[in-house]
Amino acid sequence: MSEAASDLKRRVDAAAGSGLFHLLSSALDDAAARAAFARLDVVPALLRPLGERVTRAELAQALNMALFLDVTQRVPMAAAYVADLQRDGAQLVFDHGALRTVAWPSGQLPPGEAAITRVLRPLGFSMAAVYPLPRLKMTGRAWRHADFPEDIAQFFVSELHPERFSAEFQDAVTRVLESSVDPLSPADLATLEHLARDGDLPTEAAAALLPKLIGCFARQHGLFEADDYQRLLRESAEMAWISTEGNAFNHATDRVADIETVVARQRALERPVKDAIETSATGRVRQTAFKAARVMREFQDRGQRVMLEVPGSFHEFIQRAPLDASGALDLAFDAGNATGIFKMTAGAAKDAGTAEAAAC
């Protein structure tokens, strides 16, 4: 083991006595918790010793770490990139996770971003800004943590507006989403209310709640017709993506110091990085990403079950410059950047209809 890798192991060992590590380990397992701590930089203020209560910030960080780990398991390029960092004894800074919702009746699930914001608010997140995405017929909203705005990853939650599409499209959206179930029970919602009121929870209650929160960031609806997927895809690659992936993280983002250097290294390794780096109107926020993974998803097709290859999630990079001489980072997003980044799944979706279907 290299000296850098040994130092990383020591840092993970030191974190293992924290309440945050205990919380994550109880929701996943010890090996997964260690993997998450090895991959992600965590500020010391979130590594309090295990005690009788868990703060909203600790619970928010545990959720983010679990969701980041999920992306690395679903996106091969993310796993390869993280493995490179670990060999060098480095950890990445998790800047934000992005997910998509639909402002439409959704079975038992609250429609649109309400299904997610009912979780984010009690965890200490508040809406920082609204980003209209008219070309996509969507609205994006940034949710930032009140206690650790630079250190706990933000959530970029987008909502698609089916009323801006055709009647045929709307009917397909209804059929896809009507089977949605709610992963949160009334007891879970009551626990979230206690968290919102008090700002913390008993450790046992927090450990019981975390797996339910993780479950909110997944697909909540069942199988649907492949023809409906094609109907959605013709008008919105974003809705087609939601139909197969639900509220899972569309991407997770690494905050880097020099995005040009990162891109050059990934291209030298012949990894599929986006052609351009998106730059915000202010010039302070720059973003790019790996191309979306390809995944196999199951559909119904006239009484048979078939598998189709469709776009999955991806890993993104972001460079943030300071706002001013204080050194505080510009934590904003940019509608133009977001629209460009969304093309990572839109481009891959164009070929989904030609994928070979296999009966199963």
Side-chain angles (χ1 to χ4, degrees):
M1 182 182 296
S2 69
E3 184 177 344
S6 296
D7 182 60
L8 177 59
K9 182 179 182 301
R10 284 192 293 271
R11 295 199 299 271
V12 174
D13 289 342
S18 67
L20 176 58
F21 187 97
H22 171 82
L23 188 61
L24 192 57
S25 179
S26 68
L28 307 176
D29 57 42
D30 189 75
R34 293 187 70 86
F37 273 85
R39 295 172 186 182
L40 295 173
D41 180 65
V42 181
V43 295
L46 290 168
L47 297 175
R48 302 186 314 141
L50 175 62
E52 295 182 357
R53 299 189 72 84
V54 169
T55 68
R56 65 183 188 178
E58 289 170 311
L59 192 53
Q61 178 67 12
L63 173 63
N64 280 359
M65 294 175 81
L67 295 177
F68 180 87
L69 198 63
D70 175 60
V71 172
T72 63
Q73 292 166 344
R74 293 186 290 112
V75 179
M77 285 300 100
Y81 171 76
V82 168
D84 290 346
L85 292 181
Q86 288 187 268
R87 279 192 293 271
D88 295 336
Q91 295 161 300
L92 63 82
V93 176
F94 185 15
D95 183 86
H96 71 273
L99 64 140
R100 300 170 176 179
T101 66
V102 189
W104 201 251
S106 303
Q108 299 174 9
L109 194 67
E113 70 162 20
I116 301 300
T117 58
R118 62 182 178 160
V119 169
L120 298 183
R121 283 192 178 96
L123 290 174
F125 292 91
S126 59
M127 191 177 69
V130 179
Y131 299 93
L133 304 169
R135 286 170 52 193
L136 304 176
K137 300 178 183 178
M138 301 178 80
T139 302
R141 295 178 178 88
W143 289 78
R144 190 178 301 164
H145 203 273
D147 306 330
F148 294 88
E150 287 194 10
D151 303 314
I152 293 179
Q154 296 186 73
F155 284 77
F156 191 89
V157 183
S158 57
E159 261 186 339
L160 183 130
H161 305 289
E163 72 276 8
R164 302 179 190 177
F165 294 85
S166 71
E168 181 186 39
F169 180 94
Q170 293 172 30
D171 290 343
V173 171
T174 296
R175 288 190 293 271
V176 168
L177 298 182
E178 64 187 357
S179 65
S180 297
V181 298
D182 191 343
L184 297 180
S185 69
D188 299 325
L189 295 172
T191 302
L192 282 168
E193 288 184 11
H194 294 157
L195 178 62
R197 180 194 66 197
D198 301 334
D200 63 9
L201 287 172
T203 297
E204 185 175 341
L209 181 63
L210 180 56
K212 305 299 288 291
L213 301 185
I214 295 170
C216 292
F217 297 83
R219 173 173 149 177
Q220 312 300 346
H221 55 270
L223 288 181
F224 57 93
E225 291 290 334
D227 285 349
D228 276 336
Y229 178 81
Q230 299 301 333
R231 290 186 182 96
L232 298 176
L233 184 58
R234 281 195 290 271
E235 296 189 45
S236 171
E238 289 70 38
M239 183 63 223
W241 192 94
I242 296 167
S243 74
T244 64
E245 309 306 299
N247 302 131
F249 267 2
N250 172 258
H251 62 269
T253 306
D254 177 14
R255 186 190 302 161
V256 300
D258 185 343
I259 199 166
E260 299 276 5
T261 298
V262 170
V263 168
R265 181 174 183 183
Q266 298 309 306
R267 286 183 179 150
L269 293 169
E270 299 185 344
R271 291 176 180 163
V273 185
K274 188 176 185 294
D275 292 337
I277 295 174
E278 306 289 341
T279 302
S280 67
T282 66
R284 290 190 296 265
V285 181
R286 307 184 71 204
Q287 297 166 259
T288 194
F290 287 126
K291 295 179 181 178
R294 303 290 295 183
V295 295
M296 299 299 294
R297 293 291 181 257
E298 190 175 19
F299 298 84
Q300 292 178 340
D301 184 15
R302 297 165 182 80
Q304 255 192 327
R305 292 192 175 192
V306 300
M307 299 293 291
L308 287 175
E309 185 184 70
V310 299
S313 298
F314 59 93
H315 183 87
E316 183 188 29
F317 306 96
I318 192 167
Q319 179 181 327
R320 295 188 181 276
L323 277 167
D324 49 42
S326 72
L329 292 179
D330 185 346
L331 296 175
F333 294 90
D334 181 274
N337 281 17
T339 300
I341 291 294
F342 271 42
K343 291 179 181 177
M344 299 311 296
T345 51
K350 293 177 182 177
D351 300 324
T354 63
E356 182 179 354
C360 61

